[in-house]
Amino acid sequence: MNKKHHRLAALGAALAVAGTLLAGCAAAVVGGAAAVGGIVATDRRSPQTQLDDQTIELRAASRVSDALGRRGNVSVVSFYRKVLLTGEVPTAEDRQRAQAAAASVPEVMGVVNELAVMPDSTFGQRANDTLLTSKVKTNLLNANGVPGNSIKVVTERGTVYLMGRLTKRETELATEVARTTGGVQRVVRVVDFISEQAALHPSDPTGTSAAPAPVSSVDAVTPGSAAVAPATSAAGGAAVGDGVVTHPVTQPTIVQPAQPLQVQTLPPVK
């Protein structure tokens, strides 16, 4: 696989500093090909959950590589034990193989498969994705009311993925920031909704407790099924933020979710 050695080296380095993370020291962790992680000091994930995410990424990337060999260009990102697969594979069968490989890793609580069946992206496209990730992350950090360090940002072929546990208000603010960033083609949200109280007083030491339950969620999606898009306006669009009408929202399939996720695809603001 084209990015196998780079990814394993990066994730191996992340695991090497795991002891420092667990000791409570602040550090910046980068996961995935074009992802920017949060600063540990203000990351809502516990140190153990951060370590688990790094371990999942390492193991999932290895299993996907074993399943596909040198075919395709796959990025694996884990956040709150939810795995996001992005990149390109040559066949639909390879897409399913990658998904099954990621889902087989212990501790994985859900897989969002956004792999495209197409030729590998070019170096120029990947460089542009890295730049977009940096721009979106910077804008999130500078935005009022957005916990930028608690949001994982991943970019693939101009599509920005936002991952995390956020309140509905934080989710809408973060979405608008990403959608109004120049160069972004669309935004996909992979978000667990939490209450305002939970955001102010995080009390989950492991990232796996059932409380607090999501404030709003979509029905869990079983393997092979299709998610139902949220209600749209009479004009065929979906209202987002400030009454802006966009195209109907779509939702990628989530495999083995531990709890319902809010997964939405939104176009950028023109």
Side-chain angles (χ1 to χ4, degrees):
M1 190 178 304
N2 294 340
K3 296 194 286 187
K4 173 184 176 183
H5 298 298
H6 172 74
R7 186 184 317 288
L8 292 181
L11 292 172
L15 287 175
V17 301
T20 302
L21 296 179
L22 292 174
C25 297
V29 178
V30 178
V36 177
I39 298 175
V40 174
T42 53
D43 195 320
R44 285 177 180 169
R45 297 175 299 168
S46 69
Q48 181 61 53
T49 300
Q50 294 177 58
L51 176 59
D52 288 345
D53 281 333
Q54 294 161 21
T55 303
I56 286 171
E57 287 183 359
L58 178 63
R59 291 176 177 172
S62 178
R63 294 193 184 190
V64 170
S65 178
D66 290 341
L68 300 185
R70 300 181 63 86
R71 301 188 303 278
N73 169 54
V74 180
S75 295
V76 180
V77 176
S78 176
F79 207 60
Y80 285 110
R81 302 185 180 90
K82 310 299 193 304
V83 172
L84 171 66
L85 299 177
T86 61
E88 305 82 31
V89 289
T91 68
E93 290 75 16
D94 285 329
R95 186 176 187 273
Q96 292 304 312
R97 290 189 188 100
Q99 177 176 297
S104 71
V105 175
E107 306 300 329
V108 169
M109 300 173 70
V111 178
V112 176
N113 189 350
E114 285 285 286
L115 290 171
V117 179
M118 61 183 295
D120 291 358
S121 59
T122 66
F123 176 81
Q125 288 173 317
R126 297 175 201 172
N128 184 64
D129 287 341
T130 299
L131 177 61
L132 281 178
T133 295
S134 179
K135 289 168 62 177
V136 171
K137 190 66 182 180
T138 297
N139 290 343
L140 288 174
L141 291 172
N142 290 333
N144 291 328
V146 177
N149 285 324
S150 295
I151 301 172
K152 174 78 80 174
V153 180
V154 181
T155 307
E156 193 75 54
R157 299 187 310 280
T159 293
V160 170
Y161 299 86
L162 302 178
M163 304 179 71
R165 286 182 177 175
L166 306 170
T167 67
K168 295 179 71 174
R169 175 183 57 82
E170 291 169 343
T171 300
E172 293 305 323
L173 289 172
T175 299
E176 289 307 303
V177 169
R179 294 176 68 211
T180 54
T181 299
V184 173
Q185 299 302 310
R186 68 181 183 125
V187 177
V188 177
R189 305 189 298 201
V190 185
V191 175
D192 286 304
F193 279 150
I194 61 174
S195 67
E196 295 284 348
Q197 181 71 10
L200 291 173
H201 304 284
S203 58
D204 180 6
T206 65
T208 59
S209 71
V215 175
S216 178
S217 61
V218 180
D219 289 339
V221 180
T222 56
S225 66
V228 179
T232 59
S233 68
V240 179
D242 301 329
V244 176
V245 176
T246 70
H247 297 294
V249 173
T250 59
Q251 299 170 192
T253 299
I254 306 167
V255 180
Q256 298 177 342
Q259 61 181 337
L261 295 179
Q262 167 76 8
V263 183
Q264 297 183 325
T265 302
L266 302 169
V269 172
K270 298 297 184 181

